[in-house]
Amino acid sequence: MEYQENSRITLTKQGLHLISQGQGPDIVMLHGWGMNSAVFTPLQPTFSQYRVHYVDLPGFGHSTSIEGNIDAWVDAIIDAIPDNSIWLGWSLGGLVASRAALRYPNKIKALVTVASSPYFMAQETLANNPPWPGMAPQVLEQFHHSLSLNLSRTISQFLAIQAMGSQNAKRDIKQLKALLSARPEPKSHALTQGLNMLARTDLRREIAHINQPWLRIWGRLDGLVPYSIHSLMPQKASITDVVMPKASHAPFISHTEHFVETIHLWLNQQYTRDKHTHLI
């Protein structure tokens, strides 16, 4: 990740590493499992009118590991970020951001989740509810097993799954690998923590209580988080769903321009609404 002139690097008391860039309203960006915040480098020039905080999740990139469950991660990030920020989370980062919006509704202005789910595991019909789309349990079990054998290879396999379905899968994988190489490899313990969060965290009932403006971006070709999940999610006036028809699990990599246009259009709508409210 290239550092701009107005960049500020912070390492919190808990060892959380973040880079803050730009000037304006605050946006927090959280990456996915096995990644680090350098994956958002292609987006940097397009958010100069905001102050964006690129966070390495605990145990990833330059951040040290933090013991505990997803709430421990949320608390560590909340302590490092200005109140009234917009939180954008990709995949696992979206799960963390959603949990933060539930735990700290007065500190988070709005929420953006990208290729994320309130529950990542596939589930058969239960108590007359429709089947829940997601990852097969054996896939996550395989990742757990592979981590103990070869960490680097496991992450490479995960990158391949993320790009699966993309029309430019090889190019996407190559770009992600290049971006990730700018930071240290994730700690094995943090990878295990993250897998456990994906397997065990279930926010399906709770997300109905998210009242902040919420933009949900889906890749129609996503092999990890099926876009059909959006039809099973809560719907209300404060929620916007956008399905990118040719995108897979990393739309900000494969379709950067479309992704940025979608984000900016939604952000402009939020601030226009705010100005109108203040005038009333």
Side-chain angles (χ1 to χ4, degrees):
M1 179 177 283
E2 296 181 0
Y3 299 151
Q4 299 174 0
E5 289 183 5
N6 58 350
S7 296
R8 177 183 178 184
I9 302 173
T10 303
L11 187 65
T12 69
K13 291 180 180 179
Q14 289 184 284
L16 196 70
H17 179 274
L18 61 148
I19 300 171
S20 304
Q21 295 183 348
Q23 295 181 337
D26 292 287
I27 297 178
V28 182
M29 290 201 180
L30 305 178
H31 59 82
W33 184 86
M35 308 290 114
N36 59 59
S37 63
V39 297
F40 295 125
T41 300
L43 303 181
Q44 284 185 15
T46 67
F47 285 91
S48 57
Q49 70 272 48
Y50 298 93
R51 181 167 61 160
V52 184
H53 308 276
Y54 300 94
V55 179
D56 283 341
L57 291 175
F60 296 84
H62 292 303
S63 291
T64 57
S65 296
I66 293 175
E67 294 296 328
N69 59 14
I70 192 170
D71 287 345
W73 285 19
V74 166
D75 293 348
I77 299 168
I78 277 286
D79 288 344
I81 298 299
D83 290 352
N84 208 36
S85 296
I86 294 173
W87 283 45
L88 183 155
W90 169 46
S91 195
L92 172 61
L95 187 66
V96 174
S98 297
R99 183 62 180 152
L102 288 163
R103 279 176 63 79
Y104 297 99
N106 297 325
K107 293 189 175 186
I108 296 177
K109 180 181 180 65
L111 177 66
V112 181
T113 54
V114 181
S116 191
S117 173
Y119 184 56
F120 276 77
M121 306 306 297
Q123 191 174 58
E124 296 300 323
T125 302
L126 187 66
N128 296 321
N129 292 319
W132 183 264
M135 290 187 289
Q138 57 266 32
V139 173
L140 224 56
E141 290 172 8
Q142 181 60 44
F143 278 120
H144 269 294
H145 178 68
S146 298
L147 277 177
S148 63
L149 302 177
N150 191 318
L151 187 150
S152 297
R153 185 178 178 183
T154 303
I155 293 175
S156 294
Q157 290 172 340
F158 190 68
L159 288 176
I161 293 176
Q162 290 188 80
M164 188 170 58
S166 172
Q167 295 176 329
N168 301 295
K170 289 184 178 180
R171 185 196 67 185
D172 296 350
I173 293 170
K174 183 178 180 181
Q175 186 176 1
L176 282 168
K177 283 184 175 180
L179 293 169
L180 290 177
S181 66
R183 302 280 172 86
E185 279 193 338
K187 284 73 172 174
S188 178
H189 175 65
L191 289 167
T192 299
Q193 273 183 303
L195 288 178
N196 288 337
M197 291 176 195
L198 293 175
R200 300 171 186 172
T201 304
D202 187 350
L203 303 180
R204 286 177 292 180
R205 291 186 178 181
E206 296 176 63
I207 56 172
H209 301 294
I210 293 177
N211 294 316
Q212 297 97 321
W214 185 2
L215 172 63
R216 306 187 298 216
I217 299 178
W218 313 89
R220 193 178 188 281
L221 306 178
D222 194 338
L224 281 175
V225 179
Y227 85 99
S228 57
I229 289 174
H230 84 276
S231 64
L232 302 174
M233 299 270 280
Q235 304 293 330
K236 58 178 77 172
S238 57
I239 295 173
T240 303
D241 281 301
V242 174
V243 179
M244 297 178 63
K246 296 183 179 180
S248 181
H249 193 64
F252 60 92
I253 294 291
S254 61
H255 297 80
T256 306
E257 186 175 342
H258 183 189
F259 179 84
V260 169
E261 288 176 356
T262 299
I263 296 287
H264 279 297
L265 176 62
W266 182 80
L267 287 172
N268 290 338
Q269 290 172 346
Q270 305 315 307
Y271 286 106
T272 299
R273 188 177 295 117
D274 281 355
K275 289 180 180 177
H276 177 71
T277 301
H278 290 153
L279 289 173
I280 296 176

